[in-house]
Amino acid sequence: MRRRANPLLTGYALLVYAFLFAPIVVLVVFSFNDSRRNFVWKGFTTEWYPSLLANDEVLDALGVTLRLAVVAVLVSTVLGTLLGLALARLRGRSRSGLETLLLVPMVTPEIVMGLSLLLFFLQLFDGRGGFGQLSIAHVTFCLSYVAITVRARAAGLPAHLEEAARDLGASAFEAFRLVTLPLVAPGIAAGAMLAFALSFDDYVVTTFNAGVGSSTLPLYIYGRIKFGVTPEINAISTIIVAVTALALLIAWRLGRLRSPAPG
Amino acid sequence: MSHAYDGRSIDLEKALVRYMVERRISRRQLLDRIAKLGAAAALGPVIAACTGGASQAPSSGPSAAPSTEPTTAGPTPVPEPEKELFVYNWTGYIGEDTIPAFEAKYDVKVTYDFFSNTSEAYAKLGDDGGGYDLSFPISVDIPAFVAKGALRPLDKTLLPNIVNLGAEWADPGYDPGNTHSVPYMWWTTGVGYDTTKVTDSPTSSTALWDPRYGDHISMLDDYQECFALALIQLGYSANSTNTAELDEALALLQAQKPLVRVYSTDTVATMSGGDVWIGHIWGADLYAITTENPNVAYYIPEEGGVRGSDTMAIFSGAKHPIAAHLFINHMLDAQVSASNTNYIGYMGPNAAAKEFIEPYILEDPAVNPEEAILDKLQELLDLGQAVRDEYLSRWQVLRGGG
Amino acid sequence: MGLRDRAALLLAGPGTAWLAAFFVLPLAIIFVVSLGQRDALDRISLADPSLANYARAFDPRFLPTFLNSLRYAALTTILSLAIGYPIAYWISRHGGRRKVLLIVLVMLPFWTSYLIRTYAWMIVLRDNGVVNALLQAVGLTSEPLILLNTDFSVVLGMTYGFLPFAILPLYVSIDRLDENLVAAARDLYASGRAAFLHVTLPLTMPGVIAAALLTFIPAIGDFVTPDLLGGAETTTIAKVVQELFLQGRDWPYGAAIGFLLMVVTLAGTLLAVRTVRRELVGGGD
């Protein structure tokens, strides 16, 4: 039920959104900066957008990054959801054990994780990085985030709902699919979104596991620090935000995103 | 970009630079225009700015070849290079047309990957290149690479352009005889300051300890550079191995720390934001800083300074050694080296390239200081593992002390 | 073991197998490295395995940087939870049909490049940046305030970066809360505050715990934000580990410190989580 909200709370919410988008506003503004660098406003120009479209290096890097993120999100969401559900249902030592296992990747310093995978693939498979190795690395660090987010949603999910479905003749899988999954879906979606953000922006682990020719956008961007991160990067970020916002709007208009009327 | 070398080539360079600066186009855009409109149409307005322009016979000299093609003296006979080459470097640390020119000339596909700091690149390169044929290690790190057999000795018969190097680079301390590497770019380290905030034209490195600028001082986030600065100020060698001297240097740096705003190598960011008024910076960064903040000036401390350089080296695991050699040879070509310098803004070790380097770089004392100052500079050397540990542990005490 | 537990273990199977293969095994390799030594050529030598590196890792000179990391992570977590909970609540209770849109909107800024977002904060906070310009224009200050390269800018930047990692788990948990329970508590004469403390909060505790985990743990290992937005005094333990690996080229030692850090963080976190669960929720999720 959409009650009238406390106006203070609504005002607060608007402030938080303003906080979240403040750097984005700066980012977009500076994508029109007439300078090779990102620090001082020198004037207005739109040259960075066409120059971005002509910059094959950055577009290739973006392509790799997006493909990698999609793969990482798909695999880590599936595996992570299963883990999160398991975590929510287990009790006692099994739960402690699984929880600890999930927390360890998160407490691992990125350089340790990156180097450990580098050595693992090098020693065991003579691997020198590459898209496959990168995908595996990304899935590995995303898993825990998805699992914990799904668990937050699934925790305390009354067991009787599924049992009721079974009583009514549903198979275990059907009960899962038609009862549990929809209830947990927001957790899965949230986990997927977090995983995407993690993968898209990853630098350290990616550095050590990217092979020759599989440079990602973060690698490109950080490699430019020495010589100036041009507003082209702002332009690319602006385009991504704009495209995503547009896609959201369209999806919403098509009614795909509307929450069902509660009741 | 081809042009005839003649007595007027300096004018042509100046006019081109002025043309590009006025219209705020990059070299790449100029090349695009030339490609689209033809050299005559694109350069017409530029040439019109120079009066006349008849070619004259060049003065004698091995590098003054009067051709309209890049003067790449390829090895004869040219061995067949492999079809690919894997290069690992900073983004943009190479001339814009360097790689396309190489690819066109030798029909080799170059994959150019990027790193954002050399230490992490070394971890990736490992003991044999980690899949890459060629990379650009800092000169002080070459001895360590050679000692563990990570580098492939260079075949000088494939590098005839090596004669273009200046005499002082023929036998560098870090790699005698250039057996495993070839120098790429060099730089000085000194002090940059905002003339509107620091008004008394300092000449000494002690200005970085001046309490008047407290909270507006920056130092490089590089332990060897910081200690070298302190050691030189104390009158010791920049590469001191004496732990007592290192302790003194640490004390000096610790005395400075409360005044330091930030330790950073992103000097363009720190010096253009108004937070830092005086900073420990690399000379070659000055040009970029001044495009953001034109009030910044640079000096090499009167006590002395350091110079550093980086190199090109082929790794032992390289699968495309011939292509790698030809690439190095290509980079040693006078005009290619000059176009690298003109694009990046760093000076190269290539004496023959000097005629093609834009004058504003040659005349910039931050990038190309005169002989008298150069002689006072100490070269940063490989410290060796034990000494490096002494530096690094003191550095961590400095940074972590809290 | 009941059917339910067996089913749960089955669910955990694939993910656990993945982690065992691609995380535990590589980590074991690094653990073995931590038992080794660095040889004269900076390579890893396992000739004389020992725990010597761990003994060295207990060096008191790491304490200030470790405390820095702890401090930043703790502040970031508290702020993220405090800021994130009300907005997650607002979206869930008052977002109506726009709920999903509003949540995705929270994530949207983070599908851009981290470095550019951080540069944007530098532009906002620096001495001649947006905030100082505004303050001086309005006349509140005459000299620029030093905002950048301080503890303040580090915590601000970190909180900003981790906020969605707090908001999203909080939201999915709050969204499951049955309004009727709160209404029932109010019917039973509980004040708004009491209803929150005794009904809402405990029932959304899984979300709070998840949010705390997803912020605190990565925050301890964050060295980039303190590096870019921080100053001379804001060095973190993660940066020390990084430097040991890359500049010191002492992988065994760096690995030992890394492991020590992991164990300490993990132990502390598990202890905190178990305590919170026991005290505030009374066992179970």
Side-chain angles (χ1 to χ4, degrees):
Chain A
M1 168 177 53
R2 182 144 154 51
R3 296 192 311 264
R4 203 171 42 86
N6 180 345
L8 268 168
L9 192 59
T10 308
Y12 171 82
L14 284 170
L15 270 177
V16 174
Y17 276 107
F19 176 59
L20 286 171
F21 277 88
I24 308 304
V25 170
V26 176
L27 180 161
V28 172
V29 166
F30 270 76
S31 72
F32 297 104
N33 188 13
D34 193 3
S35 158
R36 287 195 65 81
R37 287 176 184 255
N38 235 299
F39 303 121
V40 179
W41 178 259
K42 302 263 259 309
F44 186 90
T45 175
T46 54
E47 67 177 281
W48 299 109
Y49 286 86
S51 100
L52 167 67
L53 294 172
N55 186 339
D56 290 328
E57 262 177 351
V58 109
L59 294 176
D60 285 344
L62 179 65
V64 173
T65 311
L66 285 174
R67 283 197 333 260
L68 183 60
V70 166
V71 170
V73 168
L74 280 174
V75 179
S76 67
T77 303
V78 169
L79 293 175
T81 300
L82 295 174
L83 281 170
L85 289 170
L87 200 57
R89 295 169 184 221
L90 285 172
R91 290 282 173 268
R93 289 228 304 272
S94 325
R95 184 185 71 177
S96 303
L98 186 58
E99 185 173 53
T100 309
L101 177 64
L102 281 175
L103 289 181
V104 182
M106 288 171 61
V107 301
T108 308
E110 285 200 76
I111 189 159
V112 172
M113 190 182 265
L115 287 175
S116 72
L117 281 162
L118 175 94
L119 285 177
F120 174 74
F121 281 99
L122 187 63
Q123 302 296 334
L124 265 61
F125 308 106
D126 200 30
R128 306 277 169 155
F131 191 82
Q133 186 171 332
L134 262 184
S135 307
I136 291 176
H138 278 227
V139 169
T140 309
F141 67 68
C142 286
L143 260 183
S144 309
Y145 287 81
V146 179
I148 290 180
T149 308
V150 169
R151 193 260 296 260
R153 177 73 176 191
L157 208 58
H160 60 257
L161 287 174
E162 252 195 44
E163 282 165 16
R166 303 291 303 279
D167 285 346
L168 290 168
S171 73
F173 182 66
E174 276 173 345
F176 179 79
R177 187 167 64 86
L178 297 168
V179 178
T180 314
L181 222 45
L183 285 171
V184 175
I188 301 177
M193 286 199 281
L194 290 176
F196 186 85
L198 283 171
S199 166
F200 188 77
D201 242 347
D202 183 70
Y203 177 66
V204 181
V205 174
T206 307
T207 305
F208 295 113
N209 289 284
V212 177
S214 49
S215 274
T216 62
L217 193 60
L219 289 191
Y220 177 87
I221 294 173
Y222 279 76
R224 278 216 77 94
I225 290 181
K226 191 167 177 182
F227 295 98
V229 182
T230 62
E232 263 176 17
I233 307 299
N234 299 52
I236 243 198
S237 296
T238 307
I239 291 179
I240 291 174
V241 170
V243 166
T244 313
L246 198 64
L248 278 179
L249 203 60
I250 294 178
W252 197 59
R253 281 262 171 263
L254 289 176
R256 301 232 179 272
L257 288 182
R258 288 177 207 258
S259 302
Chain B
M1 182 166 66
S2 58
H3 58 260
Y5 172 78
D6 59 11
R8 297 197 188 280
S9 70
I10 303 289
D11 288 345
L12 181 63
E13 293 287 350
K14 256 207 196 113
L16 273 168
V17 172
R18 206 180 326 128
Y19 177 83
M20 286 191 284
V21 168
E22 277 167 4
R23 284 157 186 70
R24 286 179 294 113
I25 62 177
S26 67
R27 276 164 206 80
R28 194 227 189 110
Q29 287 164 316
L30 180 65
L31 284 173
D32 279 348
R33 291 186 194 192
I34 292 175
K36 291 199 185 84
L37 308 171
L43 291 176
V46 185
I47 295 177
C50 319
T51 53
S55 291
Q56 293 172 350
S59 46
S60 64
S63 51
S67 64
T68 52
E69 290 289 319
T71 53
T72 303
T76 49
V78 179
E80 193 59 38
E82 304 85 355
K83 284 292 162 204
E84 290 191 290
L85 181 63
F86 298 143
V87 179
Y88 198 35
N89 197 0
W90 298 88
T91 320
Y93 195 43
I94 194 168
E96 264 185 321
D97 23 314
T98 304
I99 292 185
F102 175 76
E103 286 181 316
K105 187 174 168 79
Y106 290 105
D107 191 27
V108 173
K109 179 172 171 317
V110 176
T111 301
Y112 188 84
D113 282 343
F114 337 106
F115 56 76
S116 83
N117 70 66
T118 45
S119 304
E120 144 206 304
Y122 297 162
K124 186 85 198 278
L125 291 165
D127 290 340
D128 65 357
Y132 290 100
D133 302 304
L134 183 77
S135 188
F136 292 70
I138 309 272
S139 52
V140 306
D141 300 314
I142 292 289
F145 276 113
V146 172
K148 65 177 180 178
L151 298 182
R152 184 192 176 102
L154 295 174
D155 180 356
K156 299 292 176 63
T157 64
L158 294 174
L159 302 175
N161 281 338
I162 205 165
V163 300
N164 289 342
L165 289 178
E168 68 274 20
W169 293 98
D171 203 21
Y174 59 85
D175 186 15
N178 290 318
T179 51
H180 289 84
S181 67
V182 166
Y184 181 52
M185 294 284 160
W186 63 270
W187 54 81
T188 64
T189 312
V191 181
Y193 65 97
D194 187 326
T195 50
T196 60
K197 298 283 193 335
V198 175
T199 49
D200 52 5
S201 303
T203 54
S204 159
S205 60
T206 53
L208 288 169
W209 271 255
D210 193 327
R212 287 179 296 165
Y213 312 130
D215 271 339
H216 297 286
I217 298 175
S218 79
M219 293 287 284
L220 287 172
D221 186 12
D222 181 319
Y223 68 93
Q224 204 172 1
E225 293 274 9
C226 282
F227 270 89
L229 186 75
L231 286 164
I232 292 178
Q233 193 180 111
L234 291 166
Y236 303 132
S237 153
N239 297 295
S240 166
T241 57
N242 180 323
T243 52
E245 291 174 8
L246 290 181
D247 286 335
E248 272 190 65
L250 174 61
L252 189 58
L253 289 169
Q254 282 175 315
Q256 184 199 39
K257 189 173 167 191
L259 301 169
V260 175
R261 179 73 176 259
V262 65
Y263 291 89
S264 166
T265 53
D266 195 356
T267 52
V268 182
T270 53
M271 297 221 59
S272 55
D275 312 297
V276 172
W277 297 347
I278 185 165
H280 182 209
I281 66 172
W282 286 302
D285 287 339
L286 183 71
Y287 181 69
I289 294 174
T290 48
T291 58
E292 302 296 312
N293 180 356
N295 301 317
V296 176
Y298 176 79
Y299 65 90
I300 292 175
E302 59 194 8
E303 297 89 349
V306 299
R307 50 188 289 179
S309 62
D310 55 17
T311 64
M312 294 179 276
I314 304 180
F315 282 80
S316 55
K319 300 235 169 46
H320 315 99
I322 299 181
H325 277 92
L326 292 176
F327 186 82
I328 294 184
N329 193 49
H330 177 74
M331 296 283 258
L332 286 168
D333 168 75
Q335 287 184 301
V336 173
S337 176
S339 81
N340 285 337
T341 290
N342 291 335
Y343 184 71
I344 314 169
Y346 280 62
M347 269 305 283
N350 195 319
K354 288 199 177 144
E355 7 265 355
F356 307 110
I357 294 178
E358 282 164 21
Y360 76 85
I361 293 182
L362 286 174
E363 290 156 16
D364 184 348
V367 177
N368 189 23
E370 43 183 53
E371 283 300 315
I373 299 189
L374 269 181
D375 290 338
K376 281 200 312 181
L377 298 180
Q378 302 182 36
E379 172 122 16
L380 282 176
L381 300 175
D382 172 35
L383 298 170
Q385 193 190 75
V387 176
R388 200 188 334 127
D389 280 350
E390 298 288 340
Y391 275 76
L392 204 51
S393 67
R394 286 172 179 74
W395 172 251
Q396 284 174 337
V397 169
L398 173 71
R399 294 300 309 276
Chain C
M1 188 192 299
L3 180 69
R4 182 187 149 98
D5 281 344
R6 218 174 296 159
L9 283 178
L10 209 66
L11 282 175
T16 310
W18 181 285
L19 283 174
F22 296 118
F23 176 69
V24 177
L25 210 51
L27 205 65
I29 295 181
I30 289 277
F31 180 71
V32 170
V33 167
S34 76
L35 299 174
Q37 307 293 326
R38 178 186 54 170
D39 71 6
L41 297 178
D42 292 333
R43 289 180 303 206
I44 301 164
S45 153
L46 293 168
D48 185 22
S50 75
L51 291 171
N53 286 322
Y54 287 92
R56 281 169 67 203
F58 277 101
D59 190 328
R61 91 185 129 86
F62 293 134
L63 203 55
T65 48
F66 175 68
L67 290 175
N68 262 351
S69 296
L70 208 57
R71 199 160 47 94
Y72 294 142
L75 280 169
T76 301
T77 305
I78 294 171
L79 281 171
S80 301
L81 286 174
I83 297 177
Y85 197 101
I87 187 150
Y89 187 86
W90 180 82
I91 295 177
S92 171
R93 298 294 133 189
H94 306 293
R97 305 181 83 94
R98 298 198 197 97
K99 265 200 277 197
V100 176
L101 205 61
L102 287 169
I103 272 292
V104 178
L105 220 54
V106 166
M107 263 331 297
L108 192 57
F110 299 88
W111 291 333
T112 58
S113 158
Y114 166 84
L115 192 61
I116 306 285
R117 289 198 300 273
T118 310
Y119 279 166
W121 278 116
M122 289 165 77
I123 292 172
V124 168
L125 295 173
R126 64 191 177 196
D127 285 7
N128 58 12
V130 177
V131 172
N132 273 315
L134 275 171
L135 287 175
Q136 290 184 284
V138 175
L140 279 171
T141 58
S142 54
E143 287 290 313
L145 292 175
I146 300 206
L147 299 169
L148 191 58
N149 308 119
T150 59
D151 279 349
F152 168 74
S153 53
V154 171
V155 174
L156 180 76
M158 284 176 75
T159 304
Y160 178 80
F162 287 108
L163 205 50
F165 289 82
I167 294 179
L168 258 60
L170 282 170
Y171 167 77
V172 300
S173 179
I174 293 174
D175 201 45
R176 261 204 56 223
L177 182 65
D178 189 348
E179 278 282 293
N180 297 320
L181 291 172
V182 183
R186 301 302 295 272
D187 285 346
L188 292 171
Y189 305 110
S191 69
R193 195 166 152 271
F196 178 77
L197 279 175
H198 297 294
V199 180
T200 311
L201 194 56
L203 285 174
T204 55
M205 198 45 74
V208 175
I209 291 179
L213 288 174
L214 293 189
T215 37
F216 183 76
I217 296 182
I220 292 240
D222 186 3
F223 72 90
V224 187
T225 310
D227 210 31
L228 289 174
L229 292 176
E233 308 283 343
T234 64
T235 314
T236 55
I237 186 76
K239 169 132 176 148
V240 171
V241 173
Q242 180 98 344
E243 269 186 348
L244 274 169
F245 266 104
L246 297 182
Q247 285 169 337
R249 287 168 230 164
D250 195 346
W251 291 26
Y253 187 34
I257 299 187
F259 270 101
L260 197 59
L261 183 65
M262 283 164 64
V263 167
V264 170
T265 309
L266 194 59
T269 306
L270 286 173
L271 191 64
V273 169
R274 306 276 150 84
T275 310
V276 166
R277 274 210 195 106
R278 216 179 29 245
E279 301 300 320
L280 291 183
V281 187
D285 264 347

